[in-house]
Amino acid sequence: GLAGSVKLGNGVIIGGSASIKDHTTIGDRAVIGAGSGVTGDVEAGKTMLGYPALEARDTLKQWAIMKRLLNESKK
């Protein structure tokens, strides 16, 4: 879903069920992961993931840490 006044650069890829806030600019060749929630501008070439959307690498690290913490708490 794209809100009003979203500006998309060339070659942008947006996964299904992603949401992009109004008055946001997505730079050239940026990738928005499925189900992500973009709340601010995205620089060209960046890959964003999660809700709220962060750089994919940071989001994946957060998910890995949370999984580790959950597994440790079950012991």
Side-chain angles (χ1 to χ4, degrees):
L2 303 175
S5 302
V6 172
K7 295 179 183 176
L8 298 177
N10 293 317
V12 171
I13 298 172
I14 302 173
S17 295
S19 301
I20 301 175
K21 180 179 149 305
D22 59 342
H23 305 292
T24 301
T25 300
I26 309 296
D28 294 343
R29 299 171 322 283
V31 177
I32 309 300
S36 296
V38 179
T39 59
D41 293 343
V42 177
E43 295 178 23
K46 296 284 184 181
T47 299
M48 307 297 283
L49 183 62
Y51 193 92
L54 302 172
E55 287 193 50
R57 183 178 176 145
D58 294 334
T59 301
L60 293 172
K61 283 180 185 179
Q62 288 178 4
W63 290 349
I65 290 168
M66 288 189 46
K67 182 176 180 179
R68 220 174 302 135
L69 288 171
L70 288 171
N71 287 338
E72 287 178 17
S73 70
K74 291 178 183 177
K75 292 180 181 180

